[in-house]
Amino acid sequence: MFSLNKLSPSVTDMIRFDHSHVLVTFHQYTSAARASVKKALAETICDALEIHATLEEEVFYPVLRRLNGAEPVIQKSEPEHDEMRRLIAELRATAPTDRRHDQLLHELMRDVMHHVADEETVLLPEAERMLDKDRLNELGAQMTRRRLELLKPKVGKIAANTAVGFSGSTTAIVVGLASALLAARVVSKKAAA
C-alpha cells in the first residue's frame, strides 16, 4: 500500500526546498539574458511562488495560527503574499524587453528574501519545536497532495519554462531533471495506489 505520509518530506523541509528552488532560479536570471530566457525564468519564479503561497495559506499557516496566532511573523505572512501576488501580476504584464521587467523581478525577490528569512528563522523552527515528526510528515503529505492538484494544469508550461530558462546551466538542469523525475515517480505511484 502506497503511503504519501511515508514518502513525503516534512512540511518544514518542503517549505525550505521551495525557498531554495526559487532562489536557485533567481540566480539564473541576468539582465543581459535573452528576452525568452528572462521571461521563462520569471514565469518559473512566479508559478513557484504562487503555488508555494497557496500551500502555506491552506496547509501550514492555519496550523501555526492555532498553535501561536499572536506570532508577528505569522500575522504579516499573508499580507506579504498579497504584495507578492501584486508584483507577480505586474511582472507578468511587463514585457521582458522592458527595463521595468528587471526592476520588478528584483523588487519581488527582495520581498521574497525578507519573507524567507522570517519563515526560516522564526516560523519553521517554531513549527519543529511545537509539532512532532509524525504531524510534520502528515502536513508534508497534505501539502504534497495539494501541490499535485495545483501543478496538474501547469505541468506543460512549467516544463517548457524550465527548459528555456535553465538552458545554460548544467547544475540547474540536473536539479530540475532530478526534481521532475521525483515528481513523476510520486505521481505514478499515487496513480497506481
Side-chain angles (χ1 to χ4, degrees), residues 1-9 14 17 140-149 151 155 177-193:
M1 175 81 184
F2 171 70
S3 173
L4 199 53
N5 286 12
K6 292 180 182 174
L7 289 177
S8 290
M14 288 183 80
F17 177 80
Q142 184 180 345
M143 191 176 271
T144 297
R145 282 189 293 278
R146 182 63 177 130
R147 180 185 308 274
L148 292 172
E149 293 170 4
L151 281 171
V155 169
L177 287 174
S179 298
L181 289 172
L182 178 62
R185 187 172 165 199
V186 168
V187 170
S188 65
K189 285 185 177 184
K190 182 178 181 188

Side-chain angles (χ1 to χ4, degrees), residues 46-67:
C46 293
D47 285 340
L49 289 172
E50 288 172 329
I51 290 169
H52 178 78
T54 299
L55 293 171
E56 285 185 332
E57 291 166 6
E58 291 179 4
V59 178
F60 188 59
Y61 292 167
V63 172
L64 289 185
R65 273 192 209 91
R66 284 192 296 275
L67 294 172

Side-chain angles (χ1 to χ4, degrees), residues 66-85:
R66 284 192 296 275
L67 294 172
N68 185 6
E71 170 57 57
V73 173
I74 193 68
Q75 291 178 357
K76 69 179 186 167
S77 290
E78 284 192 49
E80 288 176 352
H81 284 180
D82 292 340
E83 173 60 11
M84 175 200 69
R85 287 183 178 103

